Amino acid sequence: MDYPIIAKPLVDEFKVRPNLDDYDRIRAGFHYPDVIKELDGLPGGALNIAYECIDRHIAHGRGDKLCWLWEGKDGSEERYTYADASRMSNQFANVLGKLGIAKGDRVFCFMDRVPELYAAVFGTLKAGCVTGPLFSAFGPDAAGDRLADAGAKVLVTSPDQRAKVAQMKPNLPDLKHIIIVEHGKEPVLEPGELSWNALMKDAATTYDIVRTSPEDPAVMHYTSGTTGKSKGAVHVHQAVLGHYATGKYVLDLHPDDIYWCTADPGWVTGTSYGMFAPHTNGVTSVIYEGGFSASKWYDVIQRHKVTVWYTAPTAIRLLMKAGDEIPKKYDLSSLRYTMSVGEPLNPEAVVWSERVLGLPFHDNWWQTETGSIMIANYPALPIRPGSMGKPMPGIEPGIIDEDGNLKPPGEEGDLALRPGWPSMFRTYWNNESMYRSKFKNGWYITGDRGRMDADGYFWFVGRSDDVINTAGHLVGPFEVESALIEHPAVAEAGVIGKPDPVAMEIVKAFVTLKDGYEPSDKLRGELLQFCRKKLGPGVAPREIDFIA
């Protein structure tokens, strides 16, 4: 089916940024060194993500601006200003100091989207430590592997993760402190645990932010690979330039925006675009703790008057599946810009959203390793449904052959990027050889296949390896196969991605059984539950076939 090129007319807000209606002009004149002039920095050439996200606004008299508009699973709402965010993150930075945690130490968070998580991330960065958010639905194996590899010294978590933590703890020799958060109440502690509330109560509300350099490690995100365990992509404080610039030119954030990124902070989108991009641009962020529901999501937009919405293709397909009638029940007129990321967005979804919501979803492309958006459908450019869009100013992508030579428009090849942008990962933790293997002939090799059309739009073709993209989460087959063969009934296991109309792919496993075991629905259910407990529902297989 041929889809039209959707071009939404420029609205009045864009006129305050004349460059937005001239992509070529801004791209030609854009230089990342100029971006730093729009941020503050710290004395002595220091740069700290938390300062640029939070305290910079206070220094410019915007401390009373609403920062977080939090809504809990139970429907309760709480509001936090930038001054509140500064105070809470200062307290946590002081807590880390009292616990003996020093610059460069790794501090991980493993809990749902509560305000304390955000305060912990920014407090960790202020202390010069490395923050590592974990997806709250990870099983003990998935979370434990990441904590062990990183040598995490502090884990901030919640009571409902205790069973997982208990399984992980014997394999975490570097872990010194477990801090328990139970939002809105004082937790009942178990031996070896510390109370977030008690620690914060005694902590000072002022803090002299550690003078981190632009190249000091700041954030660690783990990404699955085709072989071996997950790899920790390390990002530095200079990455904030990419977060700020893409927030301005791709997300088109304005000071009066109410912004909602639906991604969990345990994934890179939830930090880069759930925290850093909106905060550096000084907007109000909606933080919704609850899960997916079409009606609930539309209600969140209506009640909080969301203006800019960033979500995932799987969520959009679920909204489509819920039907065209539900959104008619809600006032979504506050929305002026909608975006999608995490996996390729179907052309049908762009056309559907234009027809039903009155706005097209603007797809964009980037990776855990790139740290920020590399290619995007901009608000002032025509959308070509199914395309990733055009490069972010300051970014040079290319479609190349095996020798690193550029291929002509229309031809498929490896999608690569010229290295050196601020948010580019600096290493894989404890795996420098793997990191170096990602660079060849002057290019960063993304592992994706694509093509560029004659007008400079990029199109995703597929992965060059066999990583499974399920609902925007990258799952390494090896990780799932390893879990399956730990079950006493399983002799061998092979895992693939099976095409799925909602999740893009689902994880499907094929297993052979050891002697003495026979295939049965009961055993299949047991294996599914076994994997869900070890890996978490987002990583575990959805289907299992027995083969001889």
Side-chain angles (χ1 to χ4, degrees):
M1 177 178 178
D2 292 328
Y3 292 96
I5 296 174
I6 299 174
K8 187 164 182 62
L10 296 178
V11 294
D12 290 342
E13 290 92 334
F14 292 162
K15 293 178 182 177
V16 301
R17 291 193 185 147
N19 281 335
L20 270 179
D21 63 5
D22 190 346
Y23 169 82
D24 292 331
R25 176 154 52 90
I26 190 172
R27 181 164 173 76
F30 182 93
H31 301 284
Y32 265 113
D34 294 334
V35 174
I36 192 65
K37 299 175 184 177
E38 300 182 34
L39 302 176
D40 283 6
L42 291 169
L47 185 68
N48 185 279
I49 291 176
Y51 177 83
E52 302 301 338
C53 286
I54 304 294
D55 296 78
R56 178 170 66 94
H57 303 296
I58 298 170
H60 290 278
R62 300 189 292 268
D64 291 337
K65 175 70 182 293
L66 185 61
C67 181
W68 304 325
L69 206 170
W70 180 77
E71 182 173 334
K73 294 177 181 177
D74 60 359
S76 60
E77 294 183 16
E78 297 175 7
R79 294 170 177 253
Y80 298 82
T81 65
Y82 276 88
D84 293 329
S86 176
R87 171 182 52 80
M88 293 168 67
S89 54
N90 285 343
Q91 287 176 288
F92 188 69
N94 282 311
V95 165
L96 292 176
K98 286 188 176 181
L99 293 176
I101 304 304
K103 180 181 178 183
D105 287 342
R106 277 74 62 204
V107 178
F108 275 60
C109 296
F110 187 36
M111 55 185 169
D112 288 334
R113 283 168 277 192
V114 292
E116 290 87 347
L117 186 156
Y118 295 78
V121 167
F122 286 114
T124 297
L125 293 170
K126 285 184 175 183
C129 301
V130 180
T131 184
L134 292 173
F135 184 39
S136 61
F138 273 149
D141 281 17
D145 286 346
R146 289 157 172 80
L147 290 164
D149 182 72
K153 289 193 174 182
V154 178
L155 178 62
V156 184
T157 188
S158 56
D160 57 5
Q161 302 285 20
R162 275 196 177 113
K164 298 177 187 177
V165 173
Q167 294 182 54
M168 298 186 293
K169 194 174 178 181
N171 300 315
L172 302 176
D174 297 307
L175 187 63
K176 305 301 182 185
H177 305 287
I178 298 173
I179 300 174
I180 299 296
V181 172
E182 190 164 7
H183 184 72
K185 63 178 71 173
E186 182 63 40
V188 177
L189 298 179
E190 295 186 356
E193 296 177 343
L194 300 171
S195 164
W196 168 280
N197 292 343
L199 292 169
M200 294 285 280
K201 181 180 178 181
D202 296 332
T205 59
T206 59
Y207 185 78
D208 187 14
I209 296 175
V210 172
R211 271 30 178 189
T212 46
S213 79
E215 288 298 318
D216 277 339
V219 185
M220 189 181 298
H221 279 290
Y222 276 82
T223 180
S224 294
T226 55
T227 58
K229 294 185 177 182
S230 297
K231 305 178 294 295
V234 178
H235 294 279
V236 298
H237 283 273
Q238 193 182 58
V240 74
L241 275 69
H243 304 142
Y244 169 75
T246 52
K248 179 177 179 179
Y249 293 114
V250 181
L251 277 61
D252 187 43
L253 294 174
H254 297 233
D256 58 351
D257 273 323
I258 305 296
Y259 168 77
W260 184 24
C261 173
T262 64
D264 188 279
W267 304 106
V268 68
T269 302
T271 51
S272 290
Y273 294 100
M275 298 184 191
F276 304 148
H279 288 61
T280 51
N281 281 275
V283 304
T284 299
S285 291
V286 172
I287 301 171
Y288 177 57
E289 187 188 14
F292 175 83
S293 160
S295 296
K296 187 63 178 178
W297 276 28
Y298 291 135
D299 182 56
V300 168
I301 293 170
Q302 174 181 268
R303 284 187 295 103
H304 299 306
K305 294 180 169 51
V306 173
T307 58
V308 179
W309 184 24
Y310 198 19
T311 191
T314 294
I316 296 168
R317 288 190 286 269
L318 290 171
L319 292 172
M320 295 169 65
K321 184 178 180 181
D324 297 356
E325 297 303 313
I326 296 179
K328 295 178 182 178
K329 301 176 183 178
Y330 298 89
D331 180 4
L332 307 179
S333 61
S334 62
L335 286 173
R336 67 171 179 82
Y337 188 36
T338 55
M339 293 162 292
S340 166
V341 75
E343 52 192 298
L345 181 65
N346 311 76
E348 295 91 341
V350 180
V351 176
W352 173 84
S353 63
E354 171 80 0
R355 177 176 57 83
V356 176
L357 304 180
L359 290 169
F361 276 101
H362 294 68
D363 199 14
N364 50 73
W365 175 91
W366 56 295
Q367 298 179 318
T368 301
E369 288 86 349
T370 71
S372 65
I373 295 167
M374 300 285 102
I375 302 173
N377 287 277
Y378 294 84
L381 283 178
I383 295 176
R384 298 193 174 179
S387 166
M388 299 186 292
K390 290 190 174 186
M392 171 67 189
I395 302 300
E396 183 185 348
I399 303 298
I400 63 172
D401 60 21
E402 293 181 354
D403 298 319
N405 301 310
L406 286 169
K407 305 194 78 171
E411 289 193 14
E412 178 184 330
D414 291 320
L415 175 59
L417 301 166
R418 291 291 187 192
W421 65 94
S423 64
M424 186 182 82
F425 74 131
R426 297 304 198 260
T427 191
Y428 285 128
W429 188 257
N430 292 330
N431 201 340
E432 183 68 14
S433 61
M434 176 64 74
Y435 175 74
R436 293 186 179 278
S437 72
K438 295 293 184 178
F439 298 87
K440 181 179 178 182
N441 297 327
W443 294 98
Y444 162 64
I445 310 301
T446 69
D448 284 348
R449 301 278 291 176
R451 61 182 175 84
M452 184 186 75
D453 65 25
D455 296 318
Y457 283 79
F458 283 78
W459 302 77
F460 179 84
V461 173
R463 289 288 295 172
S464 58
D465 56 25
D466 62 347
V467 169
I468 301 165
N469 189 332
T470 177
H473 305 155
L474 298 184
V475 177
F478 179 85
E479 187 175 19
V480 184
E481 292 162 357
S482 298
L484 277 165
I485 62 176
E486 288 185 32
H487 191 279
V490 177
E492 294 178 293
V495 172
I496 65 167
K498 175 183 174 181
D500 182 80
V502 172
M504 186 176 173
E505 293 180 293
I506 61 169
V507 179
K508 178 166 184 173
F510 299 86
V511 300
T512 57
L513 300 177
K514 295 178 181 177
D515 292 341
Y517 292 89
E518 295 294 330
S520 67
D521 289 339
K522 181 180 178 181
L523 180 56
R524 179 181 290 106
E526 183 181 323
L527 292 176
L528 290 170
Q529 288 302 314
F530 179 79
C531 287
R532 287 173 67 90
K533 289 180 180 178
K534 291 186 69 66
L535 301 172
V539 180
R542 294 267 297 276
E543 296 180 4
I544 295 179
D545 282 359
F546 298 104
I547 58 175

